[in-house]
């Protein structure tokens, strides 16, 4: 008798899962860029770490957000272009307390280095412009430097710096957390700033570029802040064009759950907190619906992930990478799939060494964390059509909510249904029956993989054990009516593809 049942409603399509939902975020913070992606601040030809880059190449990142974070609203991009030995050294305002080697910004890794990394990874860049301490001129100049093909001083400067053709950067964020480190603004204040910046950056797009830009405003987890921001932006006389393509939110979870001291009750609370992502997406979508539609303005979650007490400013926001973190990433990716009609991009924080990074490095090695394995397992969902699932599973009470102990999402492409399933129960195994409803194939051919079957939830990935976290084959009992049954050990993530 199955304890949990997942029905996949193959005809109840949601929308295409934007590949950008598997996006990433890298900031000039601790050892993310310097030490993690870039070797040092030397004036070498290229300081990219091949070991990190090769792991990222295998992951096929669709989009990478840079340079912050809080750093973005204190960053002046002109400091980071031109000959490396002539670039000014600056203090890193927000992250100066980090590891010894990174309290100051050498500017060795700047726009051209970042865009070269994106070209090597075949990744779309997402640049976050400085609204907090910058001005519209600086942001507009950055667009011109990156994207203009004409005969201006800035376009020529890009050519002199080694890039003849415009880079064609599409995604431009105007500010980061402007309710906090990005200027402590009220929603109305930020809306006015946003309008000013969007006027200049947006006009560059309309008049000068052979390339459409997508402008991104920074929102908040709370509905009220977003509502006030959007009303103020919408109040301007835009005519038919509303220069806002996406509105963002950030959601971190686990701030009270120390990795080294946590027990099973904490695990439940942590996972329930991760799943609050759903409520935040629904609230921001509702705020958008009041002034436009989520077709016109998409939802981007451009920072998300586990943030444990171990990640302090002094540690450069570094924390151990566990199976439990990987499990939380799977649960959140399922939420994104279920909201593919509104979520246009997400960026996990942060790619290397910082917070829920996917890749960790020391001086000699780079290795994949459990969260990396989850992104790999979920990759086949990218660009598929998401379909509804319903889950009947046991629950357990947490603080002021219930945690459903099994989760899932599903998508379809070329008559293949891809179902990801999480056993969020860190104590018990669950038998899960999966059935396809609607347009079912008459014969079922199913195969699958499972992550973390032999690892405890608190197991930390290191250079020595990183390979133990790879997916293994999942035993599936498949019936001819489109039903499959799987046994999922505690704290595991599975993917089943059914034809
Ligand atoms: O990702 C770390 C920090 O978290 C970012 O700089 C900021 O945007 C957020 O508060």
């Amino acid at each position: 008798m199955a304890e949990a049942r997942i029905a996949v409603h193959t005809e109840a399509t949601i929308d295409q899962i934007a590949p950008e939902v598997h996006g990433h975020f890298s900031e000039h913070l601790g050892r993310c860029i310097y030490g993690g992606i870039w070797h040092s601040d030397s004036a070498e030809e290229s300081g990219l770490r091949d070991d990190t880059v090769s792991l990222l190449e295998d992951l096929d990142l669709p989009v990478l957000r840079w340079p912050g974070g809080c750093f973005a609203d204190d960053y002046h991009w002109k400091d980071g272009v031109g000959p490396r030995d002539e670039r000014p050294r600056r203090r890193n305002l927000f992250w100066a307390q980090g590891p010894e080697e990174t309290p100051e910004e050498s500017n060795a890794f700047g726009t051209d280095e970042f865009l070269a990394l994106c070209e090597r990874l075949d990744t779309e860049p997402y640049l976050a412009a400085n609204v907090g301490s910058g001005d519209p001129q600086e942001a507009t100049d950055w667009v011109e430097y990156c994207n203009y093909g004409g005969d201006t001083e800035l376009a020529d400067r890009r050519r002199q710096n080694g890039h003849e053709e415009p880079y064609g950067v599409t995604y431009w964020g105007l500010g980061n957390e402007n309710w906090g480190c990005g200027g402590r603004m009220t929603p109305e204040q930020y809306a006015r700033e946003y309008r000013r910046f969007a006027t200049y950056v947006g006009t560059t797009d309309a008049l000068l570029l052979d390339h459409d830009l997508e402008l991104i405003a920074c929102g908040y987890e709370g509905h009220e802040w977003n509502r006030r921001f959007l009303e103020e932006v919408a109040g301007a006389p835009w005519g038919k064009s509303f220069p806002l393509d996406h509105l963002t939110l950030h959601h971190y979870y686990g701030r009270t759950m120390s990795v080294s001291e946590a027990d099973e009750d904490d695990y439940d609370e942590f996972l329930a907190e991760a799943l609050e992502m759903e409520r935040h997406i629904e609230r921001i979508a509702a705020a958008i619906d009041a002034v436009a539609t989520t077709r016109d303005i998409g939802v981007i979650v451009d920072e998300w992930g586990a943030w444990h007490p171990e990640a302090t400013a002094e540690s450069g926001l570094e924390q151990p990478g566990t199976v439990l973190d990987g499990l939380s990433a799977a649960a959140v990716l399922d939420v994104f799939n279920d909201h593919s009609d509104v979520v246009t991009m997400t960026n996990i924080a942060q790619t290397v060494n910082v917070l829920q990074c996917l890749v960790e490095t020391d001086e000699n090695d780079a290795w994949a964390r459990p969260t990396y394995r989850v992104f790999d397992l979920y990759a086949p969902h990218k660009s598929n059509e998401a379909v509804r699932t319903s889950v009947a599973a046991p629950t357990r009470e947490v603080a002021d909510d219930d945690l459903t102990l099994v989760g899932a999402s599903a998508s379809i492409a070329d008559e293949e249904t891809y179902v990801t399933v999480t056993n969020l129960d860190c104590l018990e195994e669950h038998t899960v029956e999966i059935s396809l409803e609607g347009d079912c194939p008459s014969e079922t051919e199913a195969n699958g993989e499972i992550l973390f079957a032999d690892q405890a939830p608190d197991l930390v990935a290191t250079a020595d054990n990183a390979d133990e976290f790879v997916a293994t084959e999942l035993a599936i009992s498949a019936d001819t009516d489109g039903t499959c049954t799987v046994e999922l050990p505690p704290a595991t993530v599975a993917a089943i593809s059914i034809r």
Side-chain angles (χ1 to χ4, degrees):
M1 182 72 172
E3 299 166 58
R5 285 200 172 77
I6 296 166
V8 179
H9 307 288
T10 52
E11 287 175 345
T13 54
I14 306 171
D15 212 327
Q16 193 192 25
I17 299 169
E20 291 78 16
V21 165
H22 286 227
H24 296 256
F25 164 47
S26 294
E27 179 168 11
H28 286 236
L29 191 178
R31 297 190 309 125
C32 182
I33 300 292
Y34 300 111
I37 290 174
W38 189 261
H39 268 301
S40 66
D41 59 4
S42 72
E44 300 286 310
E45 182 62 19
S46 168
L48 285 176
R49 272 189 76 139
D50 282 331
D51 48 4
T52 299
V53 172
S54 141
L55 280 165
L56 297 179
E57 273 170 335
D58 290 346
L59 205 53
D60 197 13
L61 318 192
V63 61
L64 182 57
R65 176 179 183 243
W66 176 85
C70 294
F71 181 82
D73 283 270
D74 183 45
Y75 181 60
H76 301 287
W77 69 270
K78 286 177 188 161
D79 288 346
V81 294
R84 251 178 241 128
D85 55 1
E86 291 172 19
R87 297 183 193 175
R89 199 170 172 88
R90 307 265 184 222
R91 80 281 171 285
N92 185 331
L93 192 60
F94 292 102
W95 307 114
Q97 312 96 304
E100 248 173 55
E101 60 273 33
T102 59
E104 288 166 358
E105 172 56 52
S106 67
N107 279 306
F109 188 90
T111 302
D112 293 297
E113 287 77 15
F114 172 69
L115 294 172
L117 170 68
C118 290
E119 284 184 342
R120 182 153 162 204
L121 296 175
D122 196 17
T123 293
E124 281 290 326
Y126 163 9
L127 294 178
N130 180 343
V131 168
S133 71
D135 60 30
Q137 185 66 60
E138 183 180 27
T140 311
D141 284 353
W142 205 9
V143 176
E144 185 178 331
Y145 177 86
C146 292
N147 286 359
Y148 189 50
D151 184 21
T152 62
E153 190 270 332
L154 284 169
D156 283 343
R157 212 191 291 181
R158 182 197 64 241
R159 292 187 187 100
Q160 279 156 22
N161 293 336
H163 210 272
E164 178 63 31
E165 295 302 319
Y167 285 106
V169 177
T170 300
Y171 298 110
W172 292 86
L174 301 181
N176 169 76
E177 294 193 355
N178 301 88
W179 36 265
C181 61
R184 300 216 170 96
M185 301 182 204
T186 64
E188 290 77 15
Q189 230 182 326
Y190 174 57
R192 287 192 285 273
E193 287 297 305
Y194 180 85
R195 288 200 311 231
R196 214 157 67 94
F197 275 71
T199 300
Y200 294 97
V201 173
T203 306
T204 317
D205 174 6
L207 299 183
L208 299 180
L209 306 176
D210 184 19
H211 186 80
D212 284 339
L213 307 185
E214 299 204 17
L215 300 190
I216 301 166
C218 153
Y220 194 48
E221 276 182 354
H223 174 273
E224 184 57 13
W225 203 93
N226 296 325
R227 186 191 63 72
R228 284 171 52 190
F229 165 75
L230 287 164
E231 269 179 15
E232 181 73 22
V233 175
W238 296 111
K240 282 190 187 146
S241 65
F242 191 60
L244 171 52
D245 300 293
H246 311 266
L247 184 65
T248 74
L249 71 93
H250 295 171
H251 177 50
Y252 289 106
Y253 44 87
R255 294 213 196 214
T256 56
M257 198 206 91
S258 153
V259 176
S260 53
E261 290 163 20
D263 61 20
E264 283 80 8
D265 288 343
D266 299 318
Y267 298 166
D268 284 356
E269 237 175 88
F270 168 74
L271 293 168
E273 206 191 326
L275 287 165
E276 280 174 21
M277 181 67 88
E278 175 145 51
R279 189 168 49 89
H280 294 307
I281 291 171
E282 285 168 2
R283 283 159 63 104
I284 199 169
I288 291 169
D289 277 334
V291 297
T293 75
T294 44
R295 295 261 159 227
D296 305 317
I297 302 175
V299 172
I300 290 183
V301 184
D302 58 5
E303 290 184 28
W304 67 273
W307 187 326
H308 298 293
E310 281 84 350
T312 59
E314 290 71 27
S315 76
L317 301 194
E318 292 193 32
Q319 61 191 18
T322 60
V323 163
L324 188 68
D325 285 344
L327 189 60
S328 75
V332 172
L333 289 172
D334 283 336
V335 170
F336 293 149
N337 287 348
D338 286 346
H339 292 80
S340 56
D341 50 342
V342 301
V343 178
T344 43
M345 182 196 297
T346 89
N347 311 79
I348 190 166
Q350 300 194 2
T351 321
V352 186
N353 289 329
V354 169
L355 295 172
Q356 194 171 351
C357 55
L358 283 81
V359 174
E360 187 174 349
T361 66
D362 60 19
E363 268 178 31
N364 306 314
D365 290 309
W367 61 95
R369 281 189 166 189
T371 300
Y372 180 105
R373 309 294 178 191
V374 169
F375 269 68
D376 212 17
L377 193 74
Y378 276 59
H381 278 305
K382 287 191 262 185
S383 301
N384 281 6
E385 195 73 21
V387 295
R388 301 255 169 238
T389 53
S390 42
V391 178
T395 60
R396 203 155 48 219
E397 210 178 304
V398 290
D400 41 5
D401 209 349
D402 278 342
L403 175 68
T404 303
L405 296 170
V406 173
S409 70
S411 66
I412 297 185
D414 302 328
E415 295 179 12
E416 179 163 340
T417 306
Y418 197 68
V419 189
T420 42
V421 185
T422 51
N423 179 3
L424 302 178
D425 191 339
C426 295
L427 296 172
E428 305 284 338
E429 170 168 310
H430 287 275
T431 305
V432 184
E433 184 185 278
I434 302 154
S435 62
L436 301 193
E437 291 181 355
D439 186 18
C440 285
S442 53
E443 274 187 31
T444 301
E445 200 185 292
N447 53 64
E449 291 189 303
I450 185 162
L451 285 172
F452 317 139
D454 298 319
Q455 286 101 21
D458 60 351
L459 187 65
V460 173
T462 62
D464 294 334
N465 71 4
D467 290 344
E468 292 168 20
F469 297 86
V470 295
T472 54
E473 197 182 337
L474 174 70
I476 304 174
S477 340
D479 213 335
T480 48
D481 63 354
T483 303
C484 307
T485 304
V486 294
E487 308 284 340
L488 298 187
T492 49
V493 183
I496 297 127
S497 100
I498 306 170
R499 267 195 184 276

